[in-house]
Amino acid sequence: MTLQERVWQRRNRLRNRFSSPASSESGESPASAPAPRRKSTLADVAEQAGVSTSTASRALNGHGGLAPATRAAVEDAAARLNFQPSALARSLRTQRTFTVGFVVPDVSSPFYAATLQGAQGTLERAGYRVMLMDANQDVDRELAAVETLLSHQVDGLLISSAGLPRDVFEGTLEDRPTPTVFFDGVIEGAGDGAVTLDDERGIVLLVEHLVEHGHERIGLLAGSQRESAGAARFRAFLSATAVHGLKPEKRDVKLCSWAIEDGRRAGAELLAEETPVTAVIASSAELALGFMSAASARGARIPDDVALVAFDDPYFGDLLEPPLTAVAYDPRSVGAIAAELLVAGMRSQPERRELRIPVKLVRRRSCGCGADRAQ
Amino acid sequence: MTLQERVWQRRNRLRNRFSSPASSESGESPASAPAPRRKSTLADVAEQAGVSTSTASRALNGHGGLAPATRAAVEDAAARLNFQPSALARSLRTQRTFTVGFVVPDVSSPFYAATLQGAQGTLERAGYRVMLMDANQDVDRELAAVETLLSHQVDGLLISSAGLPRDVFEGTLEDRPTPTVFFDGVIEGAGDGAVTLDDERGIVLLVEHLVEHGHERIGLLAGSQRESAGAARFRAFLSATAVHGLKPEKRDVKLCSWAIEDGRRAGAELLAEETPVTAVIASSAELALGFMSAASARGARIPDDVALVAFDDPYFGDLLEPPLTAVAYDPRSVGAIAAELLVAGMRSQPERRELRIPVKLVRRRSCGCGADRAQ
DNA sequence: TTGTAAGCGTTATCAC
DNA sequence: GTGATAACGCTTACAA
């Protein structure tokens, strides 16, 4: 139904109400006053149409054999009463809510906002609504969120975990097997699917590029090690540097959280060493931003004094100073694909699937490209 | 309950299950196999505790006078069965869902993501959950979202409208009076509250500052005029420039949508005039980004060739090149305050309130500050 | 203090 | 084809 049609419908409804015999202008008695219009129920529709509620239900749901005339009558009555079935009652009866729960550590992060949007699109198309919960980077709240969602009988769960232990997660789910797919922050082996970025490949790309630029001492802003993505990037960093014969010192990798402020702090520490690293990899865009801020506060020039690359390409990456060399990917698609896996899982019971979203390197100036033509 | 406690609880549950007489290791008959564990209901708890469901209900909800012993027995049984009440059934009975619907034109926009987070925090504290719907900048989908939410019997609605006509909105709501507060994208006079940014003040700040820099011909990237914020900023622009005796030409103000791409396109048009404006105001951070991109594509330098200021201070505003002069405000608080209004509205029926979030000017380099010391 | 029973608004299983 | 009727899982008068 288009908006214009709705406008008309609304006008008609008003007209009907005023011309209805029951609500005469002069009738002042409480009895004849327009009843405190409660939302009309299936029973009302059935009554109006002169059929039973079961028939009304069937007519509206297109089930079973109905006389065309009855069906029309019911549809008519429903339209006249502006009937909207109660999702609550329906769900209680059918045990399906067509709602999926979505849990992320922080909605306001551009990455999660984008995954949410991607998932939302896919789910909506499949007829599902999303109930969102922000776990606020806190494992306890994450668990609470899952429990709330479960008590609402969501049909499925889409979770980016901040590091929930596997047995706790499974314990929570145990007496209510609910299809679950993890994305980005995954729990090893848990759930009916997992979609992650290709963390390993991304880090390899970054390290290789820095090595091409001639760097031999590379620092890392590692991000939270409780989250699978942070841990994976750290591991990948270790092995990728090893491949090139580099052995990062402990003080050159900073384990920290994901916020811009963490990047600033860790970045300042990195920069404060007597002989600092010549290049740094930030495990996320926020961390890179924090590092840039720290560098600028200290007067360190990027990439001249220290090169910077990031895992995560923010949409304003080429408007920064310097433009940020980064590993890019489509965050919407991680949400969308996770949602597809989930929808499949809710329809049947396919085997567990793990997918990786491909990443690619976007060369800009923060790594040294363009500035020196040396690359 | 902390995570650690949950871990213990989970372990105990497992232990109990294995030591339960019903599930002997050797019992192979289907009858003695652990029942396909359906979620336990209040009836199960009541049975376990040897009381009626009403008593069980009262015990769990802390209602009425109960013998301490019975209450304990019930709580015990509930814990043992890992009982989680069905939110669905409860809501159907009580007619309250403790869920509020949240509708925005685009979740992935940092602004809306932040409002969402603000609202979520406040609502959660008040005991409400949020059900999110992305209207995708489309008025029809916005309406559909509201209807879906209504059919889920949300207790309240938080909406940033993309321009829904008032009578359509009210028509949809009419037989189900649901507290609603609008924020950012408001519908004049509709709902039980509205919180907006101080659009007028923000634009005045921007125009004044540009005038101080000596500009006499200022362009505007106006944003969508269907949305109240876009329209308000446009109006404010007209009156603020008039105050300074400026009369913007029609071709200097670009009505467009909010996306970065729109800013790029409109910006390119502005820049392409024979004698272009000397300064431009972007109605949003995205539009400013688009303009920067257009300028850089064309080789126009900011602020030397054209000054730029924006209504909206992105969190990376000072890392852009040039750092962006902008009107700043706290986007979280608009969500939080809207949520507070809504919570108040759901608890009682206070009069309609309209609030404006204050804004302030953040001077950086894109306006010409610092670059020339002339300001 | 506790139990009985009547719903909340649907859908599903029977009969007719 | 259509209509009673029994759930779904909970809360809440009203009785006892």
Side-chain angles (χ1 to χ4, degrees):
Chain A
M1 191 186 293
T2 72
L3 181 59
Q4 192 50 61
E5 289 167 340
R6 281 171 199 277
V7 173
W8 292 333
Q9 175 187 300
R10 145 87 177 149
R11 303 239 158 94
N12 285 333
R13 209 145 68 224
L14 284 178
R15 198 160 20 247
N16 289 341
R17 181 164 349 124
F18 289 128
S19 63
S20 134
S23 69
S24 75
E25 291 268 320
S26 50
E28 293 290 86
S29 84
S32 85
R37 202 175 34 270
R38 352 148 283 127
K39 193 216 163 233
S40 41
T41 74
L42 189 61
D44 300 330
V45 174
E47 185 182 350
Q48 266 269 332
V51 298
S52 72
T53 61
S54 18
T55 302
S57 172
R58 283 187 284 248
L60 264 12
N61 294 305
H63 283 317
L66 286 277
T70 1
R71 155 163 288 138
V74 172
E75 282 170 347
D76 223 63
R80 209 166 30 243
L81 293 178
N82 189 223
F83 171 69
Q84 295 280 131
S86 156
L88 245 40
R90 198 212 285 290
S91 295
L92 180 58
R93 182 61 241 240
T94 60
Q95 299 296 48
R96 323 251 292 103
T97 55
F98 287 99
T99 299
V100 333
F102 191 93
V103 185
V104 288
D106 173 16
V107 230
S108 75
S109 140
F111 171 69
Y112 292 118
T115 57
L116 171 54
Q117 179 162 282
Q120 232 252 1
T122 300
L123 291 173
E124 188 174 306
R125 235 166 293 125
Y128 290 90
R129 285 159 283 291
V130 8
M131 191 147 197
L132 167 91
M133 312 237 60
D134 187 325
N136 226 328
Q137 311 270 15
D138 179 314
V139 178
D140 277 329
R141 302 178 70 149
E142 181 175 325
L143 187 53
V146 170
E147 286 178 341
T148 296
L149 259 7
L150 252 21
S151 87
H152 276 255
Q153 267 154 268
V154 292
D155 290 345
L157 245 17
L158 239 26
I159 306 181
S160 178
S161 175
L164 200 60
R166 174 166 171 193
D167 71 335
V168 175
F169 170 74
E170 291 179 338
T172 305
L173 222 53
E174 70 181 355
D175 27 44
R176 184 174 336 218
T178 301
T180 301
V181 358
F182 287 90
F183 66 94
D184 186 60
V186 306
I187 298 180
E188 183 68 26
D192 308 286
V195 4
T196 51
L197 297 173
D198 196 340
D199 295 301
E200 183 144 357
R201 175 85 185 125
I203 292 293
V204 166
L205 250 21
L206 258 17
V207 169
E208 272 181 1
H209 189 63
L210 254 17
V211 167
E212 282 169 17
H213 273 295
H215 293 285
E216 300 185 333
R217 181 133 165 264
I218 303 175
L220 175 73
L221 267 25
S224 164
Q225 296 304 297
R226 308 196 60 167
E227 289 177 41
S228 60
R233 289 170 204 178
F234 183 20
R235 274 199 310 275
F237 174 76
L238 258 20
S239 65
T241 47
V243 164
H244 294 281
L246 308 181
K247 180 88 187 72
E249 301 180 39
K250 188 161 272 155
R251 68 171 190 281
D252 291 345
V253 356
K254 299 296 183 188
L255 309 183
C256 51
S257 190
W258 296 108
I260 198 164
E261 189 44 41
D262 296 290
R264 184 148 30 211
R265 189 160 359 95
E269 289 175 28
L270 240 31
L271 261 12
E273 290 176 22
E274 319 91 282
T275 56
V277 295
T278 63
V280 357
I281 296 180
S283 242
S284 80
E286 274 79 20
L287 291 176
L289 257 23
F291 184 85
M292 289 176 69
S293 168
S296 121
R298 207 189 160 75
R301 288 162 313 156
I302 300 172
D304 309 319
D305 298 327
V306 56
L308 172 68
V309 299
F311 194 115
D312 226 346
D313 183 32
Y315 62 93
F316 46 85
D318 52 2
L319 296 172
L320 294 169
E321 178 51 36
L324 188 64
T325 290
V327 157
Y329 51 82
D330 178 14
R332 306 251 282 254
S333 74
V334 359
I337 289 177
E340 272 160 25
L341 244 45
L342 183 63
V343 170
M346 292 186 299
R347 297 208 218 274
S348 58
Q349 236 82 268
E351 73 286 23
R352 182 167 197 289
R353 306 213 341 186
E354 305 206 351
L355 296 182
R356 307 190 87 78
I357 303 294
V359 300
K360 67 172 204 279
L361 182 67
V362 178
R363 291 156 217 246
R364 286 195 279 245
R365 277 209 343 262
S366 69
C367 57
C369 280
D372 60 10
R373 307 276 136 183
Q375 81 144 310
Chain B
M1 191 186 293
T2 71
L3 181 60
Q4 191 51 63
E5 287 167 340
R6 281 172 199 278
V7 173
W8 290 332
Q9 177 187 299
R10 148 87 178 148
R11 302 241 158 91
N12 284 334
R13 209 146 67 225
L14 284 177
R15 193 154 31 242
N16 289 340
R17 180 157 357 120
F18 288 130
S19 62
S20 134
S23 67
S24 76
E25 290 269 319
S26 50
E28 291 293 83
S29 84
S32 83
R37 202 172 39 267
R38 351 148 285 127
K39 193 218 165 229
S40 40
T41 74
L42 189 61
D44 300 330
V45 174
E47 184 182 351
Q48 267 269 330
V51 299
S52 72
T53 61
S54 33
T55 302
S57 171
R58 283 186 283 249
L60 264 12
N61 295 307
H63 284 316
L66 287 274
T70 6
R71 155 161 290 139
V74 171
E75 281 170 347
D76 222 64
R80 209 167 29 245
L81 293 177
N82 189 222
F83 171 68
Q84 295 280 130
S86 156
L88 245 39
R90 197 211 287 286
S91 295
L92 181 60
R93 181 60 239 239
T94 61
Q95 299 294 48
R96 319 215 47 239
T97 54
F98 286 99
T99 299
V100 333
F102 191 92
V103 185
V104 288
D106 173 17
V107 232
S108 76
S109 139
F111 171 70
Y112 292 119
T115 59
L116 171 54
Q117 179 162 282
Q120 232 251 0
T122 300
L123 291 173
E124 187 174 306
R125 237 167 290 126
Y128 290 90
R129 286 157 283 292
V130 9
M131 189 147 199
L132 168 89
M133 312 238 59
D134 187 323
N136 226 328
Q137 312 270 15
D138 179 316
V139 178
D140 277 329
R141 301 177 71 147
E142 182 175 324
L143 188 53
V146 170
E147 286 178 340
T148 297
L149 259 8
L150 253 20
S151 86
H152 276 255
Q153 267 154 269
V154 292
D155 289 345
L157 244 18
L158 239 26
I159 306 180
S160 179
S161 175
L164 200 59
R166 175 168 170 192
D167 71 335
V168 175
F169 170 72
E170 293 180 338
T172 304
L173 223 53
E174 69 181 355
D175 28 44
R176 187 181 327 225
T178 301
T180 301
V181 358
F182 287 90
F183 66 95
D184 187 58
V186 305
I187 298 180
E188 182 69 26
D192 307 287
V195 5
T196 51
L197 297 172
D198 197 340
D199 295 301
E200 184 144 356
R201 175 84 185 126
I203 292 293
V204 165
L205 251 21
L206 260 15
V207 169
E208 271 180 1
H209 188 63
L210 253 17
V211 166
E212 282 168 18
H213 273 297
H215 293 283
E216 300 185 332
R217 179 131 168 267
I218 303 174
L220 176 72
L221 266 26
S224 165
Q225 296 304 298
R226 308 196 61 167
E227 289 178 42
S228 59
R233 289 170 203 178
F234 183 20
R235 273 200 310 276
F237 174 74
L238 257 22
S239 65
T241 47
V243 164
H244 294 280
L246 308 182
K247 179 88 187 72
E249 301 181 37
K250 188 160 272 157
R251 69 170 190 282
D252 290 347
V253 355
K254 299 296 183 188
L255 309 183
C256 52
S257 191
W258 297 107
I260 198 164
E261 189 44 42
D262 297 290
R264 185 148 29 213
R265 188 159 359 94
E269 288 176 28
L270 240 32
L271 260 13
E273 290 177 22
E274 319 92 281
T275 56
V277 294
T278 62
V280 356
I281 296 178
S283 243
S284 80
E286 274 80 20
L287 291 176
L289 258 22
F291 184 84
M292 288 176 70
S293 168
S296 122
R298 206 187 160 75
R301 288 160 316 155
I302 300 173
D304 308 320
D305 298 326
V306 56
L308 172 68
V309 298
F311 194 116
D312 225 346
D313 183 33
Y315 62 93
F316 46 85
D318 53 3
L319 295 173
L320 294 171
E321 179 50 37
L324 188 63
T325 291
V327 157
Y329 51 84
D330 178 13
R332 306 252 280 253
S333 76
V334 358
I337 290 178
E340 273 161 25
L341 246 44
L342 183 64
V343 169
M346 292 186 299
R347 294 207 219 274
S348 59
Q349 235 81 271
E351 74 285 25
R352 182 167 198 287
R353 304 209 347 183
E354 305 206 350
L355 296 181
R356 306 189 87 77
I357 304 293
V359 301
K360 66 171 203 279
L361 182 67
V362 178
R363 291 157 217 247
R364 287 193 281 244
R365 276 210 343 262
S366 69
C367 57
C369 280
D372 59 9
R373 307 275 138 183
Q375 73 139 324

